[in-house]
Amino acid sequence: MLRIDPDLHAALERWAADDLRSINGQIEFVLKEALRAAGRLKDRPTDPYRSSDDDDDG
């Protein structure tokens, strides 16, 4: 369970819907992008049979 501000949750829900993701998938996407931008997450080797959206939860 994650406790976040209701307005933040609603904004994430709208963004997730726009990107055809679940809220959990959207949160994971945002966190991964932030970690990559900060240089704290190395990219995995690319698998040609797996799209980048396969990591999402919906």
Side-chain angles (χ1 to χ4, degrees), residues 8-57:
L8 179 60
H9 185 273
L12 278 168
E13 191 171 35
R14 288 189 303 274
W15 189 10
D18 289 346
D19 289 353
L20 302 176
R21 292 187 178 101
S22 67
I23 293 176
N24 284 344
Q26 192 69 18
I27 291 169
E28 186 174 351
F29 170 79
V30 170
L31 289 172
K32 283 181 182 178
E33 290 299 306
L35 287 167
R36 281 188 191 109
R40 297 186 175 266
L41 182 67
K42 294 185 179 184
D43 290 323
R44 289 187 279 191
T46 305
D47 181 349
Y49 299 103
R50 183 176 177 156
S51 73
S52 61
D53 290 338
D54 286 350
D55 289 340
D56 296 337
D57 192 26

